[in-house]
Amino acid sequence: MQTVDVLVIGAGPAGTVAASYLKKQGYDVTILEKEKFPRFQIGESLLPCCMEHLTEAGLREAIEPLNFQKKTGAAFMRGEKRCEFLFEDQFTKGWTWTWQVKRADFDSKLAEATREKGVDVHFECEVTAVQCGPEKQIVDYKDAEGNAHRIEAKFIIDSSGYGRVLPRLFDLSKPSAFTPRGAVFSHLEDKNRTETASNNIFVHSFDNNKSWIWAIPFSDGSTSVGIVGDREKIEALAENNGEGYKAFIRNFEDLHGRFADSQLKFEPRAILGYSIGVTKMSGEGFVLSGNSTEFLDPIFSSGVTFATASGLLSAKMTHKHLQGEAVDWKKDYEEVIQKGIDVFRSYVSGWYTGDFQTIVFAKHIDEDIKRQICSVLAGYVWDQTNPFVKKHDTILPTLAKVIKMKEKAEEAGQS
Ligand code: FAD
């Protein structure tokens, strides 16, 4: 039976970052990946903070020559209201840009660069069963021909994303408190991309803050466009090969005809009920990273950044563990990752209650406040010197209330 130091499940951003970091520390690392790459994945708009993780794993340099669309900020719209954040104007010192990527190309390059570092990456190998113990972990998988294999590892990092291999096998999933939502999306030609549309992500809030549309421009002139909303709404838009989606995108007034005559690059796809949590992020012989842990909502494009952040930290803790040092997984891993997730949880809640929109579309937005919110949008959600991180659970509703009162008083004064 093949024996390795670390077995990583999944070759997405979480798995490749974890594997590359551990290879750098001298371990024998294998990745088992279910799909044949390149494969489609959703999650195309990155956050600047993930550049730190890609750099530390030694993977950023491999991505640079692919000339992905540079992303320098994010614009939010609601009707005629607009608020644009630029990452160069942020509170936390950090990266001021990142990329918007077609994940098929991005993930393939990450996997190729990881393999070049000496990690064994096996595609079309699906993990089917896992037995964990104090000394060794036994992993069963089947290859493309359906042949069964077994591999033994000292430690397992589960980076299987939506596959959620260990949460499924060990019954670790827990439901999300968020309303079940979904998304329907495609890539469209974007001939009418204008200067004002810029090359950054555009997010249009509508339906009384319950639904929104993303437009994520790519460097090849196409744009990813997705509609997010309550499950029933998305199911209806996705019916009949996405007829409802096509009609909606072409006629949505706030996009000012940008996609009115655009061809779709593929039939619209839908993904439903993606919000999910876990009861714990580690156990004897394993740790979970990326989407195998908790996934909240796509609104602030935080998924890949959490994948790279947790991939990197899980690898650092695994290194410590394999060195024979005591690791407090709960405190040094789970609580750290959870802290960042909890910040975004407050912002996701604030988006659907409309508090976030009240703040960013206010008649006057204080520049210091904007800079602090901008750092959250850049993914720097572990910076406790930022009041919009530290007081994340109360600051949005409190500020939104003050703004509403002020605007009401101004309106009353004018009439
Ligand atoms: P993945 O990228 O899913 O990789 C996991 C890999 O594991 C896959 O390649 C899979 O084939 C493999 N695998 C699964 N099961 C097995 C198995 N049994 N054996 C072996 N391998 C297996 N995030 C952003 O950052 N920006 C966005 O703009 C964004 N938009 C989104 C829009 C929507 C509608 C949704 C639902 C999510 C969005 N996300 C976004 C989130 C993003 O998709 C994920 O957070 C991200 O892909 C997680 O990366 P990962 O490495 O954890 O998992």
Side-chain angles (χ1 to χ4, degrees), residues 12-14 41-47 50 53 71 103 106 161-162 289-311 337 341 344 348 377 379 382:
Q41 182 57 287
I42 197 66
E44 298 151 330
S45 186
L46 310 183
L47 301 184
C50 85
H53 317 135
K71 172 185 173 185
R103 287 286 302 279
F106 180 70
Y162 301 100
S289 71
N291 264 42
S292 282
T293 61
E294 178 158 4
F295 182 70
L296 297 170
D297 190 274
I299 176 60
F300 295 114
S301 307
S302 58
V304 171
T305 298
F306 268 95
T308 55
S310 57
I337 297 304
I341 292 175
F344 270 114
V348 170
L377 301 180
W382 288 276

Side-chain angles (χ1 to χ4, degrees), residues 50-351:
C50 85
M51 305 299 264
E52 320 249 358
H53 317 135
L54 294 174
T55 305
E56 203 172 336
L59 290 170
R60 185 176 51 81
E61 295 77 359
I63 301 298
E64 262 157 16
L66 272 67
N67 292 321
F68 285 123
Q69 179 61 54
K70 212 168 165 184
K71 172 185 173 185
T72 56
F76 295 93
M77 328 271 286
R78 189 174 62 190
E80 289 308 308
K81 298 201 169 179
R82 176 189 165 120
C83 178
E84 185 155 20
F85 288 88
L86 293 175
F87 299 131
E88 62 184 22
D89 296 328
Q90 62 162 310
F91 173 85
T92 305
K93 299 257 170 304
W95 280 78
T96 56
W97 63 274
T98 183
W99 291 295
Q100 282 159 173
V101 300
K102 287 190 180 166
R103 287 286 302 279
D105 302 334
F106 180 70
D107 289 19
S108 280
K109 193 66 189 176
L110 288 177
E112 185 189 314
T114 302
R115 189 178 249 174
E116 280 166 8
K117 290 179 192 306
V119 173
D120 262 331
V121 187
H122 299 286
F123 294 102
E124 296 184 271
C125 286
E126 179 181 0
V127 172
T128 52
V130 176
Q131 297 164 55
C132 285
E135 300 297 327
K136 59 180 185 187
Q137 326 310 325
I138 310 288
V139 176
D140 292 320
Y141 67 96
K142 61 171 197 267
D143 64 24
E145 283 76 45
N147 301 316
H149 302 267
R150 180 164 272 196
I151 185 166
E152 186 185 308
K154 290 182 187 146
F155 206 78
I156 298 174
I157 300 183
D158 179 10
S159 308
S160 59
Y162 301 100
R164 299 180 66 77
V165 172
L166 294 189
R168 260 190 308 107
L169 292 174
F170 296 165
D171 198 17
L172 304 176
S173 290
K174 83 172 178 207
S176 165
F178 287 127
T179 303
R181 297 190 174 92
V184 53
F185 49 87
S186 182
H187 292 173
L188 282 88
E189 61 175 6
D190 192 6
K191 289 182 299 203
N192 303 326
R193 196 185 295 176
T194 58
E195 270 305 300
T196 44
S198 94
N199 289 318
N200 288 331
I201 184 173
F202 266 63
V203 175
H204 295 264
S205 173
F206 65 101
D207 212 5
N208 198 20
N209 308 311
K210 287 212 302 280
S211 311
W212 54 279
I213 295 181
W214 78 69
I216 301 173
F218 299 124
S219 52
D220 67 356
S222 66
T223 288
S224 169
V225 183
I227 308 172
V228 179
D230 288 353
R231 194 182 176 110
E232 301 73 38
K233 181 187 185 80
I234 298 305
E235 277 172 341
L237 290 172
E239 269 174 17
N240 303 325
N241 287 331
E243 279 311 317
Y245 165 91
K246 292 175 199 165
F248 197 94
I249 293 297
R250 291 188 172 132
N251 299 314
F252 184 59
E253 213 181 311
D254 296 355
L255 280 165
H256 301 295
R258 182 168 162 190
F259 300 108
D261 55 359
S262 292
Q263 293 299 313
L264 273 69
K265 304 281 180 185
F266 55 82
E267 287 298 297
R269 300 177 188 190
I271 174 166
L272 299 161
Y274 35 67
S275 305
I276 192 155
V278 277
T279 50
K280 60 176 186 175
M281 292 188 194
S282 63
E284 196 169 62
F286 76 89
V287 61
L288 312 179
S289 71
N291 264 42
S292 282
T293 61
E294 178 158 4
F295 182 70
L296 297 170
D297 190 274
I299 176 60
F300 295 114
S301 307
S302 58
V304 171
T305 298
F306 268 95
T308 55
S310 57
L312 187 62
L313 188 59
S314 67
K316 287 180 179 176
M317 292 300 122
T318 301
H319 174 39
K320 224 172 139 183
H321 170 76
L322 292 175
Q323 291 297 301
E325 290 178 46
V327 175
D328 186 339
W329 287 97
K330 182 106 187 113
K331 181 168 160 290
D332 298 338
Y333 180 69
E334 183 164 341
E335 285 177 13
V336 176
I337 297 304
Q338 199 63 57
K339 232 178 187 167
I341 292 175
D342 288 344
V343 174
F344 270 114
R345 193 191 317 282
S346 298
Y347 283 76
V348 170
S349 298
W351 175 265

